[in-house]
Short mmCIF file of all heavy atoms in Angstrom, two decimals:
data_model
loop_
_atom_site.label_atom_id
_atom_site.label_comp_id
_atom_site.label_asym_id
_atom_site.label_seq_id
_atom_site.Cartn_x
_atom_site.Cartn_y
_atom_site.Cartn_z
N PRO A 1 33.79 -8.40 11.07
CA PRO A 1 32.91 -8.05 12.19
C PRO A 1 31.61 -7.45 11.84
O PRO A 1 31.43 -6.75 10.81
CB PRO A 1 33.78 -7.12 12.97
CG PRO A 1 34.63 -6.36 11.95
CD PRO A 1 34.97 -7.49 10.91
N ILE A 2 30.59 -7.76 12.65
CA ILE A 2 29.26 -7.14 12.50
C ILE A 2 29.26 -5.66 12.94
O ILE A 2 29.90 -5.34 13.93
CB ILE A 2 28.14 -7.94 13.32
CG1 ILE A 2 28.00 -9.36 12.83
CG2 ILE A 2 26.77 -7.25 13.26
CD1 ILE A 2 27.11 -10.23 13.69
N SER A 3 28.61 -4.83 12.11
CA SER A 3 28.60 -3.41 12.43
C SER A 3 27.34 -3.17 13.45
O SER A 3 26.23 -2.95 12.89
CB SER A 3 28.43 -2.54 11.17
OG SER A 3 28.37 -1.18 11.57
N TYR A 4 27.59 -3.33 14.70
CA TYR A 4 26.50 -3.13 15.65
C TYR A 4 25.97 -1.72 15.69
O TYR A 4 24.83 -1.49 15.93
CB TYR A 4 26.95 -3.56 17.04
CG TYR A 4 27.29 -5.00 17.13
CD1 TYR A 4 28.60 -5.46 17.20
CD2 TYR A 4 26.26 -5.95 17.20
CE1 TYR A 4 28.87 -6.83 17.30
CE2 TYR A 4 26.54 -7.32 17.27
CZ TYR A 4 27.83 -7.70 17.23
OH TYR A 4 28.11 -9.12 17.38
N ALA A 5 26.84 -0.77 15.34
CA ALA A 5 26.44 0.65 15.27
C ALA A 5 25.36 0.83 14.19
O ALA A 5 24.30 1.56 14.38
CB ALA A 5 27.60 1.53 15.16
N VAL A 6 25.59 0.23 13.04
CA VAL A 6 24.63 0.36 11.92
C VAL A 6 23.34 -0.34 12.26
O VAL A 6 22.27 0.14 12.04
CB VAL A 6 25.21 -0.30 10.66
CG1 VAL A 6 24.19 -0.35 9.52
CG2 VAL A 6 26.44 0.54 10.20
N GLU A 7 23.44 -1.56 12.98
CA GLU A 7 22.20 -2.26 13.33
C GLU A 7 21.41 -1.38 14.31
O GLU A 7 20.16 -1.32 14.21
CB GLU A 7 22.54 -3.54 13.97
CG GLU A 7 23.01 -4.60 12.96
CD GLU A 7 23.07 -6.01 13.54
OE1 GLU A 7 23.31 -6.10 14.80
OE2 GLU A 7 22.91 -7.04 12.84
N ALA A 8 22.08 -0.72 15.24
CA ALA A 8 21.34 0.05 16.31
C ALA A 8 20.70 1.25 15.48
O ALA A 8 19.57 1.65 15.90
CB ALA A 8 22.33 0.54 17.32
N PHE A 9 21.40 1.84 14.58
CA PHE A 9 20.86 2.94 13.83
C PHE A 9 19.65 2.53 13.05
O PHE A 9 18.62 3.32 13.02
CB PHE A 9 21.97 3.48 12.88
CG PHE A 9 21.42 4.54 11.90
CD1 PHE A 9 21.21 5.85 12.34
CD2 PHE A 9 21.15 4.23 10.58
CE1 PHE A 9 20.71 6.82 11.51
CE2 PHE A 9 20.61 5.19 9.71
CZ PHE A 9 20.42 6.42 10.19
N VAL A 10 19.64 1.35 12.38
CA VAL A 10 18.50 0.87 11.64
C VAL A 10 17.36 0.64 12.50
O VAL A 10 16.21 0.99 12.17
CB VAL A 10 18.93 -0.46 10.85
CG1 VAL A 10 17.70 -1.09 10.22
CG2 VAL A 10 19.97 -0.10 9.81
N ARG A 11 17.59 0.07 13.62
CA ARG A 11 16.43 -0.27 14.60
C ARG A 11 15.79 1.09 15.02
O ARG A 11 14.58 1.25 15.17
CB ARG A 11 16.95 -1.03 15.86
CG ARG A 11 17.17 -2.49 15.57
CD ARG A 11 17.24 -3.30 16.81
NE ARG A 11 18.47 -2.88 17.56
CZ ARG A 11 19.72 -3.46 17.44
NH1 ARG A 11 19.79 -4.49 16.55
NH2 ARG A 11 20.65 -3.03 18.18
N LYS A 12 16.62 2.03 15.44
CA LYS A 12 16.11 3.33 15.86
C LYS A 12 15.31 4.03 14.71
O LYS A 12 14.24 4.63 15.00
CB LYS A 12 17.27 4.19 16.33
CG LYS A 12 16.79 5.49 17.00
CD LYS A 12 17.95 6.23 17.64
CE LYS A 12 17.39 7.48 18.44
NZ LYS A 12 16.51 7.18 19.49
N LEU A 13 15.85 3.91 13.56
CA LEU A 13 15.18 4.54 12.40
C LEU A 13 13.83 3.90 12.19
O LEU A 13 12.85 4.61 11.89
CB LEU A 13 16.04 4.39 11.17
CG LEU A 13 15.53 5.08 9.86
CD1 LEU A 13 15.38 6.61 10.08
CD2 LEU A 13 16.42 4.75 8.68
N LYS A 14 13.76 2.60 12.30
CA LYS A 14 12.44 1.90 12.03
C LYS A 14 11.52 2.24 13.16
O LYS A 14 10.23 2.36 12.94
CB LYS A 14 12.66 0.35 12.07
CG LYS A 14 13.36 -0.11 10.76
CD LYS A 14 13.50 -1.59 10.78
CE LYS A 14 14.17 -2.06 9.49
NZ LYS A 14 14.30 -3.52 9.40
N ASP A 15 11.93 2.35 14.42
CA ASP A 15 11.08 2.79 15.52
C ASP A 15 10.52 4.15 15.31
O ASP A 15 9.27 4.41 15.56
CB ASP A 15 11.79 2.77 16.85
CG ASP A 15 12.17 1.35 17.33
OD1 ASP A 15 11.51 0.44 16.86
OD2 ASP A 15 13.00 1.22 18.05
N ILE A 16 11.27 5.07 14.76
CA ILE A 16 10.80 6.43 14.50
C ILE A 16 9.78 6.40 13.40
O ILE A 16 8.73 7.09 13.50
CB ILE A 16 12.01 7.36 14.07
CG1 ILE A 16 12.95 7.59 15.27
CG2 ILE A 16 11.52 8.70 13.54
CD1 ILE A 16 14.22 8.31 14.89
N GLN A 17 10.02 5.67 12.31
CA GLN A 17 8.99 5.55 11.23
C GLN A 17 7.67 4.93 11.68
O GLN A 17 6.65 5.37 11.32
CB GLN A 17 9.60 4.74 10.08
CG GLN A 17 10.80 5.37 9.38
CD GLN A 17 11.42 4.46 8.36
OE1 GLN A 17 11.20 3.27 8.38
NE2 GLN A 17 12.34 5.05 7.53
N LEU A 18 7.85 3.94 12.63
CA LEU A 18 6.55 3.31 13.08
C LEU A 18 5.73 4.22 13.92
O LEU A 18 4.58 4.37 13.81
CB LEU A 18 7.00 2.04 13.83
CG LEU A 18 5.82 1.20 14.37
CD1 LEU A 18 4.99 0.72 13.24
CD2 LEU A 18 6.37 0.04 15.23
N THR A 19 6.44 5.07 14.69
CA THR A 19 5.76 6.04 15.61
C THR A 19 5.10 7.12 14.77
O THR A 19 3.95 7.54 15.11
CB THR A 19 6.76 6.62 16.57
OG1 THR A 19 7.41 5.65 17.30
CG2 THR A 19 6.09 7.61 17.52
N GLN A 20 5.68 7.47 13.73
CA GLN A 20 5.14 8.54 12.77
C GLN A 20 3.83 8.07 12.13
O GLN A 20 3.03 8.87 11.83
CB GLN A 20 6.11 9.02 11.80
CG GLN A 20 7.35 9.85 12.40
CD GLN A 20 8.41 10.17 11.41
OE1 GLN A 20 8.50 9.54 10.32
NE2 GLN A 20 9.30 11.08 11.73
N LYS A 21 3.80 6.76 11.87
CA LYS A 21 2.58 6.21 11.14
C LYS A 21 1.43 6.16 12.00
O LYS A 21 0.28 6.19 11.48
CB LYS A 21 2.93 4.84 10.59
CG LYS A 21 3.93 4.86 9.38
CD LYS A 21 4.21 3.49 8.89
CE LYS A 21 5.19 3.51 7.74
NZ LYS A 21 5.42 2.12 7.20
N LYS A 22 1.64 6.15 13.31
CA LYS A 22 0.50 5.98 14.22
C LYS A 22 -0.14 7.34 14.56
O LYS A 22 0.15 7.86 15.56
CB LYS A 22 0.92 5.26 15.52
CG LYS A 22 1.37 3.88 15.34
CD LYS A 22 1.73 3.19 16.67
CE LYS A 22 2.09 1.76 16.47
NZ LYS A 22 2.56 1.12 17.71
N THR A 23 -0.82 7.82 13.62
CA THR A 23 -1.42 9.17 13.71
C THR A 23 -2.71 9.17 14.60
O THR A 23 -3.17 10.15 15.17
CB THR A 23 -1.81 9.74 12.32
OG1 THR A 23 -2.68 8.85 11.71
CG2 THR A 23 -0.56 9.93 11.52
N VAL A 24 -3.34 7.98 14.67
CA VAL A 24 -4.62 7.89 15.48
C VAL A 24 -4.18 7.13 16.79
O VAL A 24 -3.67 6.03 16.70
CB VAL A 24 -5.68 7.16 14.72
CG1 VAL A 24 -6.90 6.99 15.56
CG2 VAL A 24 -5.99 7.92 13.43
N PRO A 25 -4.50 7.58 17.91
CA PRO A 25 -4.25 6.87 19.10
C PRO A 25 -4.88 5.48 19.12
O PRO A 25 -6.00 5.29 18.69
CB PRO A 25 -4.87 7.78 20.26
CG PRO A 25 -5.04 9.09 19.59
CD PRO A 25 -5.20 8.84 18.11
N VAL A 26 -4.17 4.52 19.62
CA VAL A 26 -4.58 3.11 19.62
C VAL A 26 -5.92 2.91 20.35
O VAL A 26 -6.78 2.31 19.90
CB VAL A 26 -3.49 2.21 20.13
CG1 VAL A 26 -3.96 0.78 20.21
CG2 VAL A 26 -2.22 2.31 19.30
N LYS A 27 -5.87 3.51 21.57
CA LYS A 27 -7.12 3.28 22.41
C LYS A 27 -8.41 3.86 21.77
O LYS A 27 -9.43 3.23 21.75
CB LYS A 27 -6.91 3.89 23.79
CG LYS A 27 -5.95 3.21 24.62
CD LYS A 27 -5.82 3.82 26.04
CE LYS A 27 -4.89 3.10 26.93
NZ LYS A 27 -4.82 3.69 28.30
N LYS A 28 -8.25 4.98 21.15
CA LYS A 28 -9.40 5.62 20.50
C LYS A 28 -9.84 4.78 19.31
O LYS A 28 -11.03 4.50 19.08
CB LYS A 28 -8.97 7.03 20.09
CG LYS A 28 -10.17 7.82 19.41
CD LYS A 28 -9.80 9.19 19.08
CE LYS A 28 -10.92 9.98 18.49
NZ LYS A 28 -10.58 11.34 18.14
N LYS A 29 -8.90 4.28 18.51
CA LYS A 29 -9.26 3.43 17.36
C LYS A 29 -9.93 2.19 17.82
O LYS A 29 -10.90 1.70 17.21
CB LYS A 29 -8.00 3.22 16.54
CG LYS A 29 -8.29 2.47 15.22
CD LYS A 29 -6.99 2.30 14.45
CE LYS A 29 -7.30 1.67 13.05
NZ LYS A 29 -6.05 1.55 12.25
N LEU A 30 -9.31 1.54 18.77
CA LEU A 30 -9.89 0.30 19.34
C LEU A 30 -11.40 0.49 19.84
O LEU A 30 -12.24 -0.26 19.61
CB LEU A 30 -9.04 -0.35 20.41
CG LEU A 30 -7.72 -0.93 19.91
CD1 LEU A 30 -6.89 -1.39 21.09
CD2 LEU A 30 -7.93 -2.11 19.03
N HIS A 31 -11.57 1.59 20.55
CA HIS A 31 -12.87 1.90 21.08
C HIS A 31 -13.90 2.08 19.95
O HIS A 31 -15.04 1.62 20.05
CB HIS A 31 -12.79 3.24 21.89
CG HIS A 31 -14.18 3.64 22.47
ND1 HIS A 31 -14.76 2.90 23.53
CD2 HIS A 31 -14.95 4.64 22.09
CE1 HIS A 31 -15.89 3.52 23.76
NE2 HIS A 31 -16.07 4.52 22.93
N SER A 32 -13.42 2.74 18.85
CA SER A 32 -14.35 2.95 17.77
C SER A 32 -14.67 1.63 17.05
O SER A 32 -15.83 1.34 16.69
CB SER A 32 -13.66 3.91 16.74
OG SER A 32 -14.47 4.01 15.59
N LEU A 33 -13.72 0.70 16.95
CA LEU A 33 -13.93 -0.56 16.38
C LEU A 33 -14.85 -1.39 17.23
O LEU A 33 -15.81 -2.17 16.66
CB LEU A 33 -12.62 -1.36 16.15
CG LEU A 33 -11.64 -0.84 15.09
CD1 LEU A 33 -10.29 -1.53 15.19
CD2 LEU A 33 -12.30 -0.94 13.72
N VAL A 34 -14.69 -1.32 18.56
CA VAL A 34 -15.55 -2.09 19.50
C VAL A 34 -17.04 -1.65 19.33
O VAL A 34 -17.94 -2.42 19.31
CB VAL A 34 -15.03 -1.95 20.93
CG1 VAL A 34 -16.11 -2.58 21.91
CG2 VAL A 34 -13.68 -2.72 21.08
N GLN A 35 -17.17 -0.33 19.33
CA GLN A 35 -18.55 0.23 19.24
C GLN A 35 -19.20 -0.19 17.91
O GLN A 35 -20.41 -0.51 17.85
CB GLN A 35 -18.54 1.78 19.36
CG GLN A 35 -18.04 2.27 20.71
CD GLN A 35 -19.00 1.74 21.84
OE1 GLN A 35 -20.16 1.73 21.64
NE2 GLN A 35 -18.39 1.27 22.92
N GLU A 36 -18.39 -0.13 16.81
CA GLU A 36 -18.95 -0.49 15.57
C GLU A 36 -19.39 -2.00 15.57
O GLU A 36 -20.42 -2.30 14.97
CB GLU A 36 -17.84 -0.18 14.44
CG GLU A 36 -18.34 -0.58 13.05
CD GLU A 36 -17.28 -0.27 11.97
OE1 GLU A 36 -16.28 0.42 12.41
OE2 GLU A 36 -17.43 -0.73 10.85
N GLN A 37 -18.51 -2.77 16.13
CA GLN A 37 -18.91 -4.25 16.15
C GLN A 37 -20.08 -4.51 16.93
O GLN A 37 -20.94 -5.30 16.66
CB GLN A 37 -17.64 -5.04 16.67
CG GLN A 37 -17.76 -6.53 16.47
CD GLN A 37 -17.71 -6.95 15.07
OE1 GLN A 37 -17.12 -6.28 14.23
NE2 GLN A 37 -18.40 -8.04 14.81
N LYS A 38 -20.18 -3.82 18.16
CA LYS A 38 -21.31 -4.03 19.05
C LYS A 38 -22.64 -3.58 18.30
O LYS A 38 -23.67 -4.26 18.47
CB LYS A 38 -21.14 -3.17 20.30
CG LYS A 38 -20.09 -3.83 21.32
CD LYS A 38 -19.83 -2.84 22.44
CE LYS A 38 -21.00 -2.68 23.30
NZ LYS A 38 -20.72 -1.83 24.51
N SER A 39 -22.58 -2.54 17.60
CA SER A 39 -23.72 -2.00 16.85
C SER A 39 -24.14 -3.11 15.82
O SER A 39 -25.29 -3.43 15.60
CB SER A 39 -23.45 -0.72 16.23
OG SER A 39 -24.47 -0.33 15.38
N SER A 40 -23.13 -3.61 15.08
CA SER A 40 -23.43 -4.64 14.04
C SER A 40 -24.00 -5.89 14.63
O SER A 40 -25.02 -6.44 14.13
CB SER A 40 -22.15 -5.04 13.35
OG SER A 40 -22.36 -6.00 12.37
N ILE A 41 -23.51 -6.33 15.81
CA ILE A 41 -24.01 -7.54 16.43
C ILE A 41 -25.45 -7.28 16.97
O ILE A 41 -26.39 -8.14 16.83
CB ILE A 41 -23.16 -7.96 17.66
CG1 ILE A 41 -21.75 -8.48 17.08
CG2 ILE A 41 -23.74 -9.03 18.49
CD1 ILE A 41 -20.81 -8.75 18.09
N SER A 42 -25.67 -6.09 17.62
CA SER A 42 -27.09 -5.82 18.02
C SER A 42 -28.03 -5.81 16.92
O SER A 42 -29.22 -6.29 17.11
CB SER A 42 -27.06 -4.46 18.69
OG SER A 42 -26.17 -4.42 19.89
#
């Protein structure tokens, strides 16, 4: 049998690690990239 408990644990662990890596808010980072690109194009 498949160990669904282990699979659930692994998925949760990966979600926690992914959340920890996102130290910079996505919106703020995207805004900065957009401004940089607009400046370059201008």
Side-chain angles (χ1 to χ4, degrees):
I2 296 172
S3 179
Y4 294 104
V6 172
E7 283 190 337
F9 172 77
V10 171
R11 283 195 295 271
K12 189 170 183 62
L13 183 62
K14 288 182 178 180
D15 289 340
I16 294 173
Q17 291 174 346
L18 184 61
T19 302
Q20 290 176 344
K21 289 180 180 180
K22 294 181 179 180
T23 56
V24 179
V26 175
K27 289 185 178 181
K28 184 176 180 180
K29 186 174 182 179
L30 287 177
H31 179 74
S32 176
L33 289 174
V34 168
Q35 292 301 317
E36 182 179 346
Q37 191 66 28
K38 287 173 65 177
S39 175
S40 176
I41 291 174
S42 296

